[in-house]
Amino acid sequence: MRYLNPKADLTFKKVFGEHPDLVISFLNALLPFDSEDEEISEVVEYLNPELVPFNPLHKDSIVDVRCKDKRGRQFLVEMQMMWTSAYKQRVLFNASKAYVSQLHVGDYYDALQPVYSLNLVNDTFSDSERYYHDYRIVEVEETREVIEGLRFIFIELPKFTPKNYGDKKMQVLWLRYLTEIDERTEKVSSDLMDNPEISKAVNQLEESAFTEAQMLGYEKFWDVIRTEHLNITGSRRDGFIKGHAEGYAKGIDEGRAEGIAEGRAEGRAEGIAEGEQRGEFKERCKNARAMRAAGIPVDTISKILGLTAEEVMAL
């Protein structure tokens, strides 16, 4: 039996966007609820994952899964394959939009319910040894003072190891589900299959459950991810080399140690920026055309490549 990777756009949305019981288990395991009373007991409805602005001239955005529980709390879930410098801003933008969209004319502010943003990142972005990052709006000197309403969780999947979470069994199982299963998996660990919720999620990954067209889109998804990864890595490497050379030359010309340091830093930054701007955008447009030709939805292309829906449609 062949399984598909649960981190792909197709499979992630199928598992967590179509099965309320699975997304409840997933969120309860990974969100930092302080007590059982705070945990989600029922998903009232799945909401439109496209966060459309009130003003059509403003930017819209898309998440993988968006749902609401019976208390009115909203949960945004994203599987992000590659880290970019703008990703945190995008997460803040999406959560803020979901938060303000709750109120209509005449509503009172006390009707606002919290928005939780859960972000699984298949990349590393921090120097911390920890892979679980919990962000809230806090008072700088007295961090116990919190402005409630928005909560952001980022999980760096490559840093995850089961031993890190001790007795949080379901959290460990769900993260193992995301990190251990892929196309090379022939037999899933009994630790995962013995849990009814994880077992159900695993069964959703069987290749036989997908159409030929879906499989073509799945393969194209990974082709684009691999290409994007190479482009970003190459742009950063080329930018570093160029910046180092220009910086070193500037330092020699000035004849001072601080000139070398300054030149290297400035040159490196300029080289990285130039490489990313020229190379990445051009390659993303090329990949977007190929994905559209393969029949992949515009919202999926937009999310993977970081282009707006309008830019994708214009290609």
Side-chain angles (χ1 to χ4, degrees):
M1 181 179 298
R2 182 180 183 232
Y3 296 98
L4 303 188
N5 193 316
K7 294 187 290 293
D9 195 65
L10 172 70
T11 49
F12 192 86
K13 289 179 179 178
K14 176 179 175 63
V15 172
F16 299 112
E18 299 180 8
H19 301 278
D21 56 330
L22 297 184
V23 79
I24 288 173
S25 174
F26 189 67
L27 291 171
N28 283 336
L30 296 179
L31 290 178
F33 294 132
D34 295 326
S35 66
E36 290 186 5
D37 291 339
E38 289 188 20
E39 292 185 355
I40 306 163
S41 60
E42 179 183 356
V43 167
V44 175
E45 65 177 312
Y46 281 107
L47 302 175
N48 186 351
E50 183 176 4
L51 296 160
V52 181
F54 296 119
N55 187 330
L57 297 179
H58 291 174
K59 183 177 177 65
D60 66 348
S61 49
I62 300 166
V63 296
D64 286 326
V65 178
R66 179 184 174 208
C67 58
K68 181 172 68 174
D69 72 354
K70 64 181 181 180
R71 301 185 193 182
R73 298 179 297 179
Q74 287 192 49
F75 305 91
L76 311 182
V77 187
E78 281 206 67
M79 180 67 240
Q80 180 72 11
M81 297 305 299
M82 292 177 292
W83 182 259
T84 66
S85 58
Y87 184 63
K88 282 184 180 178
Q89 282 67 45
R90 193 179 95 193
V91 167
L92 176 61
F93 179 78
N94 288 342
S96 300
K97 188 183 295 185
Y99 189 70
V100 301
S101 68
Q102 298 178 63
L103 291 189
H104 302 284
V105 176
D107 290 344
Y108 294 100
Y109 290 109
D110 58 6
L112 287 166
Q113 294 298 316
V115 171
Y116 292 82
S117 176
L118 174 60
N119 304 276
L120 297 307
V121 184
N122 197 41
D123 201 353
T124 57
F125 58 84
S126 74
D127 295 329
S128 170
E129 294 182 359
R130 294 175 55 83
Y131 60 85
Y132 190 98
H133 307 281
D134 182 3
Y135 294 82
R136 307 176 78 176
I137 302 175
V138 300
E139 203 276 334
V140 174
E141 295 185 1
E142 296 289 339
T143 55
R144 291 171 298 177
E145 295 295 324
V146 179
I147 297 179
E148 301 290 353
L150 297 176
R151 193 83 176 254
F152 307 92
I153 304 301
F154 292 83
I155 297 178
E156 297 178 82
L157 291 177
K159 293 182 180 179
F160 167 74
T161 53
K163 63 182 181 182
N164 288 16
Y165 263 98
D167 60 351
K168 296 184 179 180
K169 180 180 178 181
M170 285 307 299
Q171 192 170 85
V172 170
L173 290 178
W174 276 119
L175 292 178
R176 285 184 60 192
Y177 168 81
L178 289 175
T179 56
E180 291 183 9
I181 302 174
D182 58 26
E183 298 84 357
R184 296 166 296 182
T185 302
E186 295 182 359
K187 183 178 180 181
V188 179
S189 168
S190 59
D191 293 344
L192 299 180
M193 297 303 289
D194 287 345
N195 181 277
E197 293 158 347
I198 305 295
S199 177
K200 178 178 177 179
V202 170
N203 292 335
Q204 304 303 311
L205 302 177
E206 294 178 7
E207 182 180 358
S208 58
F210 297 90
T211 66
E212 183 176 350
Q214 287 175 323
M215 288 302 302
L216 289 173
Y218 175 85
E219 299 296 343
K220 186 61 184 178
F221 172 89
W222 289 112
D223 287 343
V224 171
I225 292 299
R226 285 188 286 268
T227 301
E228 282 294 294
H229 181 75
L230 290 173
N231 288 338
I232 291 174
T233 302
S235 294
R236 289 175 179 168
R237 182 187 63 246
D238 294 345
F240 180 87
I241 293 172
K242 179 180 178 180
H244 188 280
E246 291 178 355
Y248 187 78
K250 178 179 179 180
I252 293 297
D253 290 341
E254 294 179 355
R256 298 192 304 271
E258 59 266 30
I260 294 176
E262 178 185 353
R264 283 176 176 168
E266 291 181 356
R268 185 181 302 118
E270 291 172 1
I272 291 172
E274 180 179 345
E276 289 184 347
Q277 289 176 0
R278 293 184 180 181
E280 290 183 27
F281 184 76
K282 182 178 180 181
E283 191 63 30
R284 287 179 183 184
C285 290
K286 177 182 176 182
N287 289 332
R289 292 190 190 96
M291 293 176 77
R292 287 203 68 190
I296 297 176
V298 171
D299 62 338
T300 300
I301 299 172
S302 176
K303 179 179 180 297
I304 295 172
L305 300 180
L307 300 172
T308 66
E310 290 79 9
E311 287 171 334
V312 175
M313 293 294 293
L315 294 173

